[in-house]
RNA sequence: GGGCGUGUAGAUCAGUUGGAAGAUCGCUACCUUGGCAUGGUAGAGGCCCCGAGUUCAAAUCUCGGCACGUCCA
């Protein structure tokens, strides 16, 4: 079975008929019976440019977006949908994506899987989204954006439980009513295109709503999931119906605004003030005035229309595209040279892209994101750097922070943000400084890399450009312009290189994508009742009785040594490894058997004890924990929460937990921050953490429904990671820190004793790792440190308090004395080489010196230098030492009769066997070593007889 | 998460096949001038990031650690 036609009463009632698109072959519904294309093809141009299709919205920019959003949400609110506040743009409730890419992303994976109830049903929302896949086309195509708001109405139906709110008929009816009545769109301009949707293992029928050549909305009816035995086939995969039936709609707010404004590009509809401001700053009027007879608006309008029907994709050859473009423009009566076209569109595309990029950047930073060189933070850095590059290319002299603050003021109004404006400015100023530094380094690297290349070269080697881009952050275009500035004036970028670079990256990404083999520890336990965890009821319970439900042999790599069996009980006090907290250890025993529990893992609802021996099904066992271990883990885990709260309070709202680990000897907490932490920072965090222990007596542990938890505490609750179930355990330490956490924590903070921040280090740019010790571990740590200091003091023979001062003095003296020894050695060399003893012989105008030295290689080479660097006295010098198994050095005065007559390597090779060694060097300087220092005299004798002296 | 790159004088960086640690700026002193800009001469300043390994020999090659940079997902 393939997907059935979407045949709805609402179509017929409004005079729509079903036709097949002449171009794409897709089926579509239209009330214009002459129409033979679906509206979204290479032959359907935008019809709204210059003549808006949506009436009643004369404003522009933020005001227009606000009005449009309100019209949409209001429409659905009046029709029994609940309005939901937008989710953050950082998708922190998910572990598969960094950014919110669609409104449905708010409800994945647990609402869409049916595990968690939606916040309301049906609901309407306008969700800010960021998609970076088309980032290169932004500003150039006239319609692409990285940041947009997806307006939506969502429904989560459960027909199997008798909850069916509405389906296709009503959905399309709402859409049609809104389009034609609220927005006054001519029915003939609307086409509904049937185009089944699939993605991420789900699928369903879908309708694209095209207005005036622009896709304004997609209505997806998600009711299928991938299933090999399914009877529906879409794009080669088989699907079957799922119990949850979801309406996932997406209406592009900015596109509505564009259709209402009818401006040449989408950017002028939504960012008019910023575009005008940037034009002014970049002196764009001057460019345009060069050709007074060109009608700019007309050209831009035509460009957008053309872009609407031409597919600009990354990797398309730029020159070829330009030629086609100019040809098509000429057909439309616009006569423009490629130079004129480039002169106008190059700066303009940057002027358009900057506000879009700033919008993405401000949204990300506003949500508390810290720029970094990895993960989500890298996306912010990429946007910042793109913006900076375009700003520089436009020759605009405004800092990134000022651009962003201007953008926030003009385009974001009083949107509530986690990050303060000052914080944002601080972060962006740091980013700009890093960017400038990167450019400076890049220029240096280019100079070095090209130093051997002729100044008249026209190309830069591909490998060099790849390495500049990948290792030094210098994009190919940038590399070329830097090279030109540094004197290689005729280089240019080979056509198609950028595409090759992208291809290469794509290939690397593909190669790196490895299979995620999730090996299960134990199979066949699905039928067992879930293990009842006792550690939540009373975290101080360390003994319990239970019965064995399951026991099997385990044979798997990577587990702690000694593990032979996996045991599942009906209930347990043993905490399984999870949430960064290590597992409990202890003993499970019966009258006759004692098994050590060496590790505990959670598999689904079952807690598996990994033991060093077998137990039998039905056995009654007594379990007892290694309480010292558990107590220490609890000390650390609770401390991590306390420290986390303190860090957020002291450093600012951008602090987010990027990971944590709680072991016995110490705990780690990774936090997002834009600067390295100083010891002062650590001290004040440590101070506050210890104050909390004193001031807050009790922790508060509650269990909340996921829906209520979200509403009550927001998404900061999930710093420890995206929770999986519908019920959430919340740990509250007064108002200091509130977290969803499934670990074991103290009821009373006083149990911890004290917290020490040992040190911090950088995990990656933008992420700092705090090393924490608490409770007994803090005492042990202090004792150990004390011991180290005491030992050091004993070595110096001073009090511990004097160790730093003394070490400083010793180090200073050591350096001084080393220098003095060098000076004295030099003096010895001078004395010994100034002649006066019988080691110096003259032969045929060459002074021959054969001498034993007592220093190492360094000292010998100094003597050689002294002997052979004097041009006025041609010398052959042979030095030896008994140090380190014996050393020999032979050198001649360069460019003298000594170097003509004697070859240092030959002499060395001839005499070195006497000390059982080898060596080499240049004809005027050779050195080597051996393992028989006693043979040194034989070497000297051999040299003498060889030279005939 | 994966790939790539970099740690050498106070600063910016060179350093060839492993074989004698360098340049420029800055610093100090002296010379040139009435003084300044400048010019000249001399000098000081190095745990070649740390630790192991290979080697007769490591700034250089290999491995590990630390610090930093960068691209992609």
């Amino acid at each position: 079975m393939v997907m059935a036609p979407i045949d709805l009463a609402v179509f017929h009632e409004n005079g729509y008929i079903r036709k097949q698109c002449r171009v794409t072959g897709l089926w579509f519904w239209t009330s214009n019976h002459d129409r033979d294309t679906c509206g979204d093809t290479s032959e359907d141009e935008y019809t709204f440019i210059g003549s808006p299709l949506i009436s009643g919205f004369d404003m522009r920019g933020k005001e227009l977006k606000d009005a449009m959003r309100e019209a949409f949400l209001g429409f659905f609110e009046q029709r029994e949908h609940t309005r939901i506040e937008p989710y953050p743009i950082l998708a922190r409730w998910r572990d598969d994506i960094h950014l919110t890419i669609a409104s449905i992303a708010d409800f994945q994976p647990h609402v869409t899987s049916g595990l968690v109830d939606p916040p309301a049903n049906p609901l309407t929302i306008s969700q800010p989204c960021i998609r970076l896949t088309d980032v290169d086309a932004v500003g150039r195509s006239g319609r692409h954006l990285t940041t947009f708001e997806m307006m939506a109405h969502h429904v989560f139906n459960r027909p199997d439980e008798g909850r069916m709110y509405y389906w296709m008929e009503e959905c399309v009816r709402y859409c049609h009513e809104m389009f034609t009545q609220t927005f006054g769109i001519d029915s003939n301009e609307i086409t509904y295109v049937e185009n089944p949707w699939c993605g991420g293992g789900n699928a369903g029928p879908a309708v694209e709503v095209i207005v005036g050549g622009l896709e304004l909305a997609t209505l997806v009816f998600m009711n299928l999931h991938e299933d090999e035995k399914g009877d529906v086939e879409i794009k080669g995969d088989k699907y079957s119906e799922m119990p949850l039936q979801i309406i996932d709609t997406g209406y592009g707010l900015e596109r509505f605004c564009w259709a209402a404004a009818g401006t040449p590009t989408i950017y002028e509809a939504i960012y008019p003030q910023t575009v005008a401001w940037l034009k002014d700053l970049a002196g764009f009027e001057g460019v345009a005035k060069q050709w007074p007879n060109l009608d700019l608006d007309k050209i831009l309008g035509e460009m957008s229309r053309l872009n609407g029907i031409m597919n600009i994709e990354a990797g398309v050859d730029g020159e070829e595209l330009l030629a086609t473009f100019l040809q098509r423009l000429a057909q439309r009566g616009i006569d423009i040279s490629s130079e004129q076209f480039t002169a106008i569109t190059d700066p303009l595309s940057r002027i358009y892209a900057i506000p879009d990029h700033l919008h993405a950047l401000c949204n990300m930073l506003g949500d508390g994101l810290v720029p970094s060189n990895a993960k989500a933070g890298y996306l912010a850095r990429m946007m910042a750097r793109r913006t900076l590059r375009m700003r520089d290319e436009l020759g605009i002299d405004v800092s990134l922070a000022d651009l962003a603050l201007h953008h926030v003021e003009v385009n974001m109004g009083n949107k509530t943000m986690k990050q303060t404006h000052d914080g944002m400015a601080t972060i962006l100023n740091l980013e700009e400084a890093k960017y400038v530094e990167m450019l400076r380094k890049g220029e240096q690297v280019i100079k070095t890399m090209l130093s051997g290349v002729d100044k008249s070269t026209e190309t830069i080697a591909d490998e060099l450009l790849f390495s500049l881009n990948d290792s030094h952050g210098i994009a190919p275009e940038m590399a070329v312009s830097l090279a030109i500035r540094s004197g290689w004036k005729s280089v240019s970028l080979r056509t198609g290189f950028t595409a090759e670079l992208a291809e290469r990256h794509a290939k690397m990404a593909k190669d790196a994508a490895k299979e995620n083999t999730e090996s299960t520890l134990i199979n066949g336990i699905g039928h067992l009742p879930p293990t009842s965890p006792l550690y939540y009821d009373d975290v101080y319970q360390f003994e319990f009785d239970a019965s064995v439900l399951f026991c099997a042999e385990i044979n798997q790599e990577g587990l702690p040594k000694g593990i032979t069996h996996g045991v599942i009980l009906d209930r347990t006090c043993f905490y399984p490894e999870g949430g960064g907290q290590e597992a409990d250890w202890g003993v499970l025993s019966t009258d006759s058997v004692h098994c050590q529990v060496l590790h505990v893992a959670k598999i689904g609802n079952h807690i598996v004890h990994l033991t060093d021996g077998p137990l039998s099904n039905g056995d009654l066992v007594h379990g007892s924990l290694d309480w010292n271990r558990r107590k220490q883990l609890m000390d650390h885990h609770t401390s991590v929460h306390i420290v986390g709260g303190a860090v957020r309070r002291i450093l600012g709202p951008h602090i987010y937990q990027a990971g944590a680990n709680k072991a016995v000897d110490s705990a780690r907490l990774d936090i997002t921050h834009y600067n390295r932490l100083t010891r002062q920072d650590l001290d004040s965090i440590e101070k506050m953490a210890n104050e909390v222990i004193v001031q807050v007596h009790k922790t508060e542990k509650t269990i909340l429904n996921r829906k209520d938890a979200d509403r009550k505490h927001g998404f900061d609750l999930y710093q420890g990671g995206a929770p999986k179930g519908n019920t959430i355990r919340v740990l509250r330490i007064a108002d200091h820190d509130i977290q969803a956490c499934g670990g074991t924590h103290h009821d009373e903070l006083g149990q911890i004793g004290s917290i020490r921040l040992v040190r911090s280090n950088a995990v990656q740019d933008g992420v700092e790792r705090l090393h924490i010790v608490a409770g007994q571990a803090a005492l042990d740590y202090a004792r150990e440190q004390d011991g180290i200091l005491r030992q050091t003091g004993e070595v110096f023979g001073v009090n511990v308090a004097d160790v730093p001062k003394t070490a400083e003095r010793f180090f200073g003296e050591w350096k001084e004395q080393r220098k003095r020894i060098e000076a004295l050695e030099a003096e010895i060399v001078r004395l010994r080489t100034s002649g006066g003893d019988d080691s110096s012989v003259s032969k045929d105008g060459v002074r021959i010196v054969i001498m034993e030295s007592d220093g190492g290689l360094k000292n010998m080479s100094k003597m050689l230098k002294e002997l052979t660097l004097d041009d006025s006295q041609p010398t052959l010098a042979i030095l030896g030492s008994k140090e380190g198994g014996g050393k020999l050095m032979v050198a001649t005065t360069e460019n003298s009769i000594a170097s003509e007559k004697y070859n240092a390597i030959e002499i060395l090779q001839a005499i070195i066997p006497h000390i059982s060694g080898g060596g080499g060097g240049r004809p005027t300087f050779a050195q080597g070593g051996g393992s028989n220092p006693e043979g040194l005299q034989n070497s000297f004798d051999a040299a003498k007889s060889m030279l005939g002296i």
Side-chain angles (χ1 to χ4, degrees):
Chain A
M1 190 182 103
V2 290
M3 209 152 270
I6 299 176
D7 194 348
L8 305 174
V10 60
F11 291 146
H12 298 286
E13 285 165 23
N14 288 287
Y16 277 67
I17 57 167
R18 188 167 189 259
K19 302 187 78 168
Q20 189 167 22
C21 178
R22 175 168 57 77
V23 181
T24 63
L26 292 172
W27 289 92
F28 66 100
W29 292 82
T30 177
S31 61
N32 176 358
H33 296 195
D34 298 330
R35 182 177 259 289
D36 59 358
T37 60
C38 68
D40 189 20
T41 71
S42 56
E43 296 184 23
D44 291 290
E45 292 186 13
Y46 297 151
T47 61
F48 56 88
I49 290 172
S51 55
L53 286 170
I54 297 178
S55 48
F57 294 87
D58 294 331
M59 54 295 254
R60 293 283 186 277
K62 182 175 184 298
E63 213 186 325
L64 174 58
K65 280 169 70 177
D66 288 347
M68 196 63 79
R69 187 188 305 112
E70 194 49 44
F72 179 93
L73 295 172
F75 176 91
F76 284 98
E77 227 169 5
Q78 281 163 23
R79 285 158 185 80
E80 290 170 0
H81 290 67
T82 307
R83 186 192 294 219
I84 299 292
E85 284 307 305
Y87 281 47
I89 206 140
L90 297 180
R92 280 176 164 153
W93 59 93
R94 297 188 57 167
D95 49 16
D96 51 344
I97 51 174
H98 296 306
L99 300 169
T100 306
I101 52 168
S103 60
I104 195 71
D106 299 349
F107 312 109
Q108 287 166 326
H110 300 312
V111 175
T112 51
S113 74
L115 189 66
V116 173
D117 290 335
N121 206 3
L123 62 85
T124 184
I125 190 170
S126 186
Q127 176 62 47
C129 301
I130 297 183
R131 289 187 191 178
L132 297 177
T133 42
D134 288 326
V135 67
D136 284 322
V138 175
R140 288 198 283 200
S141 70
R143 72 169 193 278
H144 278 100
L145 300 170
T146 58
T147 328
F148 58 95
E149 269 184 53
M150 186 181 278
M151 304 187 291
H153 46 120
H154 291 296
V155 183
F156 304 90
N157 296 302
R158 281 304 289 252
D160 58 332
E161 293 175 5
R163 271 181 292 141
M164 191 75 197
Y165 296 91
Y166 64 79
W167 196 237
M168 287 193 223
E169 183 67 48
E170 296 85 343
C171 180
V172 174
R173 197 175 289 274
Y174 282 137
C175 176
H176 194 72
E177 183 188 347
M178 182 177 64
F179 274 35
T180 52
Q181 289 171 29
T182 307
F183 294 120
I185 299 172
D186 178 1
S187 171
N188 277 343
E189 289 284 356
I190 308 174
T191 51
Y192 293 92
V193 184
E194 295 178 16
N195 194 4
W197 172 91
C198 60
N202 293 107
V207 172
E208 287 164 6
V209 191
I210 316 291
V211 177
L214 185 66
E215 183 181 338
L216 280 191
T218 310
L219 315 174
V220 177
F221 306 95
M222 205 197 293
N223 61 350
L224 302 169
H225 54 188
E226 230 173 80
D227 178 0
E228 280 180 19
K229 294 176 208 126
D231 54 358
V232 183
E233 191 176 318
I234 303 167
K235 295 176 186 168
D237 289 313
K238 294 209 164 173
Y239 294 84
S240 66
E241 266 200 28
M242 54 183 193
L244 199 69
Q245 307 211 332
I246 300 166
I247 294 187
D248 169 22
T249 64
Y251 297 72
L253 171 65
E254 287 78 6
R255 292 185 169 194
F256 276 66
C257 293
W258 190 16
T263 45
T265 68
I266 198 168
Y267 317 107
E268 279 134 332
I270 57 174
Y271 303 121
Q273 284 160 282
T274 314
V275 167
W277 185 52
L278 292 175
K279 274 184 180 170
D280 192 38
L281 287 172
F284 183 72
E285 290 307 312
V287 176
K289 268 190 197 138
Q290 284 178 266
W291 306 289
N293 51 340
L294 287 177
D295 183 345
L296 260 185
D297 268 3
K298 192 173 171 205
I299 294 170
L300 293 177
E302 289 299 337
M303 268 182 56
S304 278
R305 282 193 199 120
L306 273 176
N307 274 315
I309 58 175
M310 289 172 63
N311 244 341
I312 300 187
E313 301 208 346
V316 171
D317 188 287
E319 284 180 29
E320 199 177 306
L321 192 73
L322 180 62
T324 323
F325 224 104
L326 292 176
Q327 199 185 335
R328 300 285 285 266
L329 280 176
Q331 286 165 7
R332 285 145 197 267
I334 294 176
D335 197 19
I336 183 169
S337 70
S338 72
E339 288 75 23
Q340 287 172 323
F341 186 83
T342 313
I344 290 168
T345 54
D346 269 8
L348 213 47
S349 63
R350 291 171 192 136
I351 288 168
Y352 289 148
I354 287 176
D356 168 81
H357 286 21
L358 286 173
H359 207 71
L361 191 55
C362 293
N363 265 312
M364 291 193 248
L365 296 188
D367 257 1
L369 184 63
V370 177
S372 163
N373 54 7
K375 299 190 175 173
Y378 176 68
L379 302 177
R381 175 159 295 166
M382 185 178 83
M383 293 311 271
R385 293 197 167 168
R386 286 183 66 93
T387 308
L388 283 163
R389 208 173 75 202
M390 291 188 285
R391 179 201 69 179
D392 290 345
E393 283 162 350
L394 286 170
I396 291 174
D397 186 23
V398 177
S399 77
L400 180 63
D402 287 343
L403 284 174
L405 292 179
H406 177 272
H407 185 89
V408 169
E409 194 188 321
V410 171
N411 297 305
M412 302 177 90
N414 44 8
K415 179 179 158 58
T416 49
M417 287 184 179
K418 221 167 135 178
Q419 183 59 272
T420 62
H421 289 190
D422 280 352
M424 218 153 158
T426 306
I427 290 173
L428 290 177
N429 282 328
L430 275 170
E431 273 309 290
E432 183 158 355
K434 286 186 179 185
Y435 171 77
V436 170
E437 178 65 10
M438 184 188 78
L439 284 189
R440 193 190 61 73
K441 285 219 160 110
E443 195 169 353
Q444 193 63 44
V445 171
I446 288 176
K447 278 186 195 166
T448 310
M449 280 178 164
L450 289 180
S451 60
V453 179
D454 196 90
K455 289 266 179 188
S456 63
T457 187
E458 288 179 3
T459 55
I460 301 176
D462 284 5
E463 278 314 310
L464 225 145
L465 286 174
F466 284 133
S467 130
L468 276 169
N469 185 79
D470 289 3
S471 303
H472 300 97
I474 305 295
E477 304 84 39
M478 186 81 76
V480 167
S481 74
L482 286 177
I484 290 171
R485 221 168 72 188
S486 303
W488 287 267
K489 301 224 184 293
S490 38
V491 293
S492 63
L493 195 60
R494 174 166 69 76
T495 43
F497 181 81
T498 313
E500 266 176 48
L501 182 71
E503 212 170 284
R504 187 173 147 128
H505 284 152
K507 191 180 174 297
M508 276 161 58
K510 206 172 157 190
D511 291 347
K514 57 176 182 193
E515 281 176 44
N516 199 359
T517 49
E518 214 174 292
S519 59
T520 43
L521 204 56
I522 302 183
N523 290 311
I525 53 171
H527 64 283
L528 297 174
T531 315
S532 161
L534 301 170
Y535 44 81
Y536 286 134
D537 302 334
D538 177 6
V539 292
Y540 298 107
Q541 182 180 351
F542 56 90
E543 295 197 67
F544 67 102
D545 292 305
S547 41
V548 177
L549 300 184
F550 180 88
C551 179
E553 264 189 64
I554 300 252
N555 190 7
Q556 193 174 307
E557 303 251 324
L559 289 172
K561 258 193 180 165
I563 289 174
T564 57
H565 288 78
V567 178
I568 297 176
L569 308 172
D570 59 341
R571 53 186 203 153
T572 187
C573 276
F574 282 89
Y575 179 83
E577 185 176 43
Q581 179 177 331
E582 291 188 356
D584 286 332
W585 292 349
V587 181
L588 291 178
S589 49
T590 64
D591 290 343
S592 52
V593 187
H594 295 271
C595 289
Q596 297 289 327
V597 177
L598 301 171
H599 189 64
V600 186
K602 195 169 184 187
I603 302 175
N605 288 324
H606 301 103
I607 295 165
V608 182
H609 306 74
L610 301 172
T611 60
D612 64 351
L615 291 160
S616 311
N617 274 3
D619 273 359
L620 290 178
V621 293
H622 181 76
S624 80
L625 298 188
D626 174 346
W627 180 248
N628 285 335
R629 178 179 168 88
R630 159 64 85 75
K631 158 86 168 57
Q632 184 62 65
L633 291 172
M634 276 168 60
D635 288 347
H636 278 150
H637 200 150
T638 313
S639 299
V640 163
H641 286 271
I642 297 171
V643 171
V647 175
R648 218 165 304 123
R649 203 146 295 197
I650 289 172
L651 296 178
H654 57 276
I655 299 292
Y656 203 88
Q657 180 175 324
N661 174 277
K662 303 97 187 180
V664 168
D665 40 329
S666 74
R668 302 193 310 244
L669 173 64
D670 295 349
I671 53 157
T672 57
H673 187 50
Y674 48 77
N675 249 337
R676 294 306 311 270
L677 295 182
T678 62
R679 187 62 233 185
Q680 282 76 25
D681 292 329
L682 295 182
D683 286 344
S684 51
I685 295 162
E686 185 179 283
K687 185 160 170 275
M688 183 184 277
N690 283 296
E691 281 164 7
V692 168
I693 293 182
V694 175
Q695 285 160 9
V696 181
H697 299 291
K698 294 263 182 191
T699 58
E700 196 182 301
K701 299 167 184 173
T702 47
I703 298 175
L704 286 177
N705 178 284
R706 175 71 184 265
K707 199 165 107 184
D708 299 332
D710 285 0
R711 197 169 49 219
K712 202 168 165 190
H713 301 296
F715 296 103
D716 280 356
L717 200 57
Y718 306 125
Q719 306 227 355
K724 290 184 180 71
N726 198 15
T727 50
I728 308 274
R729 293 183 174 273
V730 176
L731 174 74
R732 182 188 170 110
I733 301 172
D735 288 331
H736 183 72
D737 185 65
I738 304 173
Q739 289 291 309
C741 186
T744 54
H745 306 97
H746 284 298
D747 294 332
E748 291 168 0
L749 292 189
Q751 295 271 344
I752 295 170
S754 67
I755 297 177
R756 287 268 297 140
L757 290 194
V758 174
R759 66 187 183 99
S760 70
N761 67 309
V763 179
Q764 59 190 231
D765 196 23
V767 178
E768 284 284 295
R769 174 165 292 171
L770 303 176
H771 296 261
I772 302 162
V773 287
Q776 186 61 42
L779 294 178
D780 292 345
Y781 175 77
R783 199 168 295 129
E784 190 189 332
Q785 295 294 304
D786 200 51
I788 292 169
L789 258 185
R790 206 177 46 245
Q791 278 180 31
T792 313
E794 278 165 16
V795 172
F796 283 134
V798 297
N799 284 329
V800 162
D802 292 331
V803 163
K805 206 176 65 191
T806 309
E808 203 174 325
R809 184 166 61 82
F810 271 58
F811 189 65
E813 281 176 12
W814 169 74
K815 278 175 90 164
E816 212 171 290
Q817 288 176 1
R818 202 180 49 163
K819 248 173 259 164
R820 206 167 148 64
I821 289 168
E822 266 179 38
L824 289 172
E825 280 176 343
E827 187 59 32
I828 294 168
V829 168
R830 265 192 297 280
L831 286 174
R832 291 203 58 183
T833 56
S834 59
D837 64 7
D838 56 357
S839 60
S840 173
V841 179
S842 221
K843 194 188 180 205
D844 304 332
V846 177
R847 177 174 65 149
I848 298 175
V849 182
I850 298 177
M851 217 162 45
E852 185 181 339
S853 153
D854 51 2
L857 271 178
K858 202 161 186 173
N859 205 21
M860 287 165 72
S861 51
K862 222 178 259 169
M863 290 180 79
L864 274 185
K865 208 187 274 186
E866 198 68 41
L867 286 164
T868 60
L869 283 189
D870 182 5
D871 288 343
S872 65
Q873 196 171 27
T875 302
L876 165 65
I878 301 173
L879 297 186
S881 161
K882 285 182 179 161
E883 232 178 64
K887 309 270 181 222
L888 275 172
M889 281 185 158
V890 183
T892 58
T893 306
E894 284 189 41
N895 301 318
S896 71
I897 50 169
S899 61
E900 281 167 30
K901 290 181 79 156
Y902 301 107
N903 183 323
I905 300 180
E906 282 173 13
I907 297 173
L908 183 79
Q909 299 290 353
I911 65 175
I912 197 116
H914 295 286
I915 58 167
S916 316
R922 303 190 308 268
T924 58
F925 184 91
Q927 57 183 283
S931 52
N932 175 26
E934 299 314 314
L936 190 62
Q937 196 52 50
N938 294 340
S939 290
F940 284 157
D941 293 342
K944 279 177 188 158
S945 65
M946 182 182 171
L947 298 168
I949 55 174

